[in-house]
């Protein structure tokens, strides 16, 4: 394993070096939080694909393939569909807003009354998303070094916190681009063909497995619908995703770069399911489907290649973890702490803005590592995150973008009613039940429609300013230099 260890150590050292280099570029709030809003199509596509395809998409996607066959691709497939929908229908408008958080968008649309409450919901989502990615380090480092779970979480989490704190979004962008390349080589170009060949090819796989393993709907219609509701809609409104949209150099970059990233996700989804199906042929009696990825990598790949593929798994986990971490810190600082203190600073270039956000990334990173050590069930943590996000924020965000009659009171009622309904139903029906997100979303929609129609229309001046901002014509927006970073 010496060669594999060398590959992993070099990879991890490279991530820290990228963080140090990014620190030299992040001299303003805009540079630190959204990479100066100047990523070109290549970097934007790669980093967007990197953040949405995390440990759940890689290790979990292969596990679903092991359990259900080709239909196990549906979870990651719905993530790709969500990214495609966001890119084609909404990303250009989102990019033109020139904000830093989802809550700032809600304030612009409804008149400045939704920030703290919506910020709390978004903060809970991004925190739990970062926690689930951090827990996944334990699985990978256990395969690599037979390492204690707590030590593995501290080691992996500390590296992500270090490079994220140093350079903010610039460091995360640079590391994510490397991670995208490593994932593409490790999973798509190496592990996928090797797994299929080791399993005897598709004809042998079909001969040894039940026919339902090759049924595209074998995982079940209700499960697919739930995936669409949680992951496809979740992609439309998550702070971690929007913060990447804000890094685009132009609205065209956001639209077409995101479309490329979404298409890549669809291919990644199918690859994970095929790898899992091959693992079922090779190891029909694994204790857990989530062991399929680590087992096939450890037993079937040659040295060096094994290290690169495990580095790809680390890349998947780190890209999601760092994206969720900076999103969590941005929301905590800009939407909660600053508002509670009554200090909402303009988009300045002052160095203390960078320092304040750096401190929040460090604090949130320590909180994520501590929470990850305390929790054990990745699926439950991820379900809580997406239930809160979709149940509490989907309706007021999409309503604000699509329905002029929506009001601030309707948005607040939607967030509160949807959030309370989701939490109550998770407590009564169980975290993994479908009812919390189904009925929570319906309650949120009903509250939004009823309260909006019962209250006074949003002020015409607020709507006019909103339309100007959406069109990118707000004269108060500071024009920033846009060098052609590709």
């Amino acid at each position: 394993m010496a060669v594999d260890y060398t590959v992993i150590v070099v990879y991890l050292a490279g991530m820290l070096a990228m963080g140090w280099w990014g620190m030299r570029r992040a001299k303003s709030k805009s540079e630190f939080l959204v990479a100066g809003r100047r990523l070109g199509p290549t970097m934007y596509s790669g980093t967007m694909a990197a953040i949405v395809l995390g440990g759940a998409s890689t290790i979990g996607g292969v596990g679903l393939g092991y359990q259900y066959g080709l239909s196990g691709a549906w979870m990651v497939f719905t993530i790709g569909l969500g990214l495609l929908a966001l890119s084609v229908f909404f990303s250009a408008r989102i990019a033109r807003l020139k904000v830093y958080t989802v809550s700032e968008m809600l304030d612009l649309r409804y008149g400045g009354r939704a920030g703290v409450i919506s910020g709390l919901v978004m903060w809970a989502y991004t925190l739990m998303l970062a926690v689930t990615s951090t827990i996944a380090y334990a699985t990978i480092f256990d395969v690599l070094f037979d390492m204690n779970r707590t030590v593995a979480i501290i080691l992996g989490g500390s590296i992500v916190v270090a490079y994220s704190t140093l350079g903010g979004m610039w460091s995360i962008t640079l590391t994510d681009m490397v991670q995208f390349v490593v994932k593409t080589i490790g999973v798509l170009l190496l592990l996928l063909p090797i797994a299929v060949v080791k399993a005897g090819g598709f004809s042998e796989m079909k001969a040894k497995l039940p026919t339902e393993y090759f049924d595209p709907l074998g995982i079940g219609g209700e499960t697919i619908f739930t995936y669409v509701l949680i992951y496809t809609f979740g992609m439309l409104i998550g702070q971690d995703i929007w913060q990447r949209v804000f890094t685009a150099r132009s609205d065209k970059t956001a639209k077409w770069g995101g479309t490329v990233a979404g298409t890549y996700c669809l291919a990644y989804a199918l690859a994970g399911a095929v790898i899992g199906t091959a693992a079922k042929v090779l190891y029909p009696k694994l204790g857990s489907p989530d062991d399929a990825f680590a087992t096939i990598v450890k037993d079937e790949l040659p040295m060096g290649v094994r290290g690169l593929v495990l580095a790809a798994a680390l890349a998947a986990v780190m890209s999601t973890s760092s994206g969720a971490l900076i999103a969590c810190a941005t929301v905590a600082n800009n939407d909660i702490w600053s508002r509670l203190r009554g200090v909402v600073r303009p988009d300045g270039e002052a160095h203390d803005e960078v320092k304040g956000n750096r401190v929040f990334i460090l604090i949130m990173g320590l909180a994520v590592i501590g929470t990850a050590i305390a929790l054990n069930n990745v699926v439950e943590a991820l379900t809580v995150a997406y239930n809160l996000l979709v149940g509490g924020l989907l309706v007021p965000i999409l309503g604000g973008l699509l329905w002029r009659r929506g009001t601030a009171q309707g948005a607040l009622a939607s967030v509160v009613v949807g959030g309370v309904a989701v939490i109550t139903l998770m407590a009564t029906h169980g975290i993994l039940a479908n009812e919390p997100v189904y009925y929570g979303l319906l309650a949120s929609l009903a509250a939004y429609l009823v309260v909006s129609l019962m209250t006074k229309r949003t002020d015409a001046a607020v709507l006019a300013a909103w339309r100007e901002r959406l069109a990118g014509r707000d004269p108060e927006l500071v024009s920033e230099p846009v060098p052609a970073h590709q």
Side-chain angles (χ1 to χ4, degrees), residues 194-207:
I194 290 173
V196 172
V197 170
K198 292 283 187 178
F202 285 105
S203 58
E204 188 70 14
M205 291 161 63
K206 286 185 176 181

Side-chain angles (χ1 to χ4, degrees), residues 142-178:
D142 178 56
V143 175
L144 281 171
F145 308 116
D146 192 25
M147 187 179 289
N148 174 270
R149 177 182 182 274
T150 299
V151 175
I153 289 173
I154 292 174
L155 175 61
S158 297
I159 293 170
V160 170
V161 171
Y163 73 68
S164 301
T165 302
L166 284 172
M169 187 59 83
W170 264 125
S171 294
I172 292 170
T173 296
L174 295 169
T175 54
D176 276 2
M177 198 62 202
V178 174

Side-chain angles (χ1 to χ4, degrees), residues 185-199 274-275 301:
I185 296 172
V187 176
L188 296 184
L189 302 184
L190 292 175
L191 182 57
L192 174 61
I194 290 173
V196 172
V197 170
K198 292 283 187 178
V274 171
I275 293 167
L301 299 186

Side-chain angles (χ1 to χ4, degrees), residues 441-465:
L441 189 55
L442 287 174
S444 178
L445 177 60
Y448 183 70
L449 293 174
V450 171
V451 176
S452 290
L453 291 172
M454 291 177 62
T455 51
K456 184 181 177 181
R457 290 176 180 268
T458 304
D459 187 86
V462 171
L463 287 177

Side-chain angles (χ1 to χ4, degrees), residues 46 176-186 189 264:
D176 276 2
M177 198 62 202
V178 174
Q179 289 159 356
F180 169 73
V181 173
V182 171
K183 276 193 288 194
T184 301
I185 296 172
L189 302 184
Y264 178 90

Side-chain angles (χ1 to χ4, degrees), residues 468-486:
E468 289 294 301
R469 197 72 170 254
L470 276 179
R473 295 194 298 263
D474 190 333
E476 294 183 4
L477 292 176
V478 178
S479 178
E480 298 180 64
V482 287
H485 290 292
Q486 298 293 324

Side-chain angles (χ1 to χ4, degrees), residues 195-236:
V196 172
V197 170
K198 292 283 187 178
F202 285 105
S203 58
E204 188 70 14
M205 291 161 63
K206 286 185 176 181
K208 289 187 175 181
L209 294 173
T211 56
E212 55 262 30
Y213 265 71
F214 301 91
D215 179 358
L217 302 178
I219 198 170
E222 184 178 356
T223 299
I224 294 171
F225 177 73
T226 302
Y227 284 159
V228 169
L229 201 60
I230 293 177
Y231 297 115
T232 300
F233 285 119
M235 286 295 107
L236 298 179

